[in-house]
Amino acid sequence: MTTPAARKKLAVAPPGMAQASAPPFPEEGAISLKDAAYRAIKHKIITCAFKPGEFINEMHVSALLGIGRTPVHQAIDRLMLEGMVSIRPRKGIFVNAVSFEEIMEIVDVRLLNETYCARRAAELADSSNIAHLTDILARAEQWLPARNIEQLMLLDSEFHTALSRAARNDVLSDVIIKLNDRSLRFWFLSLVQPGQNEAVQRQHQNILDAIKNRNADEAEAAMRAHIEHFRRNLMQQSMPPR
């Protein structure tokens, strides 16, 4: 069992970690100020630059991002709908914490959806899907020696998003992208642990190899192993010190 104090540790950025500044997803041409504010604020939440339980002042965020109050307000409304922030009467806007129980529930749902997604991708991915996935892993390989947690987390997210597209099911893809969004803070913390970056890279390569070989059973098994590894790592972090 985990104690409340141990569970809280999962949502706190490791000491001394450099704060990330890049948006959480690759840019795709010009975006609106509202979308720019949304991406920037979400990224700060994901990377724990805005920590769980922290008060968010719209005026301060506006000045920090160099974006007007209206787009920032609209972005915060969107993040509230996604469950990343909440408004407390007479107190203001706060970053929501994610409980250990909730992230374990997310992992369970990911197991159901992403294993099926990997199977479908092995059956349906075309050459452009495989080329995209291969390129993502090549870029991740370049970042491994530098242990750039931020870039590796972004590429991890990009890999799962690209894989969801390869399954040729828009509803499934939408579900997986939303699940991944809710997991990102924990991916960021998980990847900080020694050896995790290399382990994730190997696991992603196993998934891609199975897809290239059109082996649906192997793709499903590789994805299951990948998500279970993530679960075990989080459970180890949540255990109180002896």
Side-chain angles (χ1 to χ4, degrees), residues 114-124 215-220:
E114 293 202 63
T115 51
Y116 175 69
C117 175
R119 170 174 287 279
R120 295 294 289 168
E123 296 168 345
L124 300 172
N215 191 324
D217 289 340
E218 287 293 332
E220 179 178 338

Side-chain angles (χ1 to χ4, degrees), residues 105-201:
E105 289 174 357
I106 291 171
V107 169
D108 285 340
V109 179
R110 284 186 61 198
L111 273 172
L112 291 171
N113 287 277
E114 293 202 63
T115 51
Y116 175 69
C117 175
R119 170 174 287 279
R120 295 294 289 168
E123 296 168 345
L124 300 172
D126 60 23
S127 58
S128 64
N129 297 134
I130 292 173
H132 187 193
L133 290 164
T134 301
D135 175 66
I136 294 168
L137 294 192
R139 283 182 278 138
E141 191 70 33
Q142 293 176 343
W143 283 110
L144 280 175
R147 282 187 50 78
N148 188 309
I149 305 302
E150 177 187 349
Q151 290 298 328
L152 290 168
M153 181 198 70
L154 299 181
L155 289 166
D156 189 318
S157 177
E158 187 179 349
F159 181 85
H160 284 266
T161 298
L163 190 62
S164 75
R165 302 297 189 197
R168 299 287 189 275
N169 184 315
D170 291 342
V171 174
L172 178 64
S173 179
D174 185 57
V175 168
I176 288 172
I177 289 170
K178 288 179 180 177
L179 286 170
N180 288 340
D181 280 353
R182 293 180 67 178
S183 300
L184 282 176
R185 266 191 289 182
F186 291 90
W187 287 359
F188 188 70
L189 299 176
S190 174
L191 289 172
V192 172
Q193 301 302 309
Q196 289 306 306
N197 304 290
E198 293 78 9
V200 167
Q201 182 75 356

Side-chain angles (χ1 to χ4, degrees), residues 58-143:
E58 284 189 6
M59 185 177 296
H60 171 71
V61 173
S62 177
L64 180 67
L65 302 180
I67 298 176
R69 288 282 300 278
T70 297
V72 167
H73 180 79
Q74 292 170 329
I76 287 174
D77 280 347
R78 182 175 170 185
L79 290 165
M80 184 173 62
L81 290 174
E82 294 180 3
M84 300 195 79
V85 302
S86 60
I87 298 177
R88 301 178 190 173
R90 298 183 296 278
K91 291 185 178 181
I93 304 160
F94 292 83
V95 178
N96 285 340
V98 182
S99 70
F100 182 82
E101 287 80 6
E102 182 177 350
I103 191 60
M104 289 298 106
E105 289 174 357
I106 291 171
V107 169
D108 285 340
V109 179
R110 284 186 61 198
L111 273 172
L112 291 171
N113 287 277
E114 293 202 63
T115 51
Y116 175 69
C117 175
R119 170 174 287 279
R120 295 294 289 168
E123 296 168 345
L124 300 172
D126 60 23
S127 58
S128 64
N129 297 134
I130 292 173
H132 187 193
L133 290 164
T134 301
D135 175 66
I136 294 168
L137 294 192
R139 283 182 278 138
E141 191 70 33
Q142 293 176 343
W143 283 110

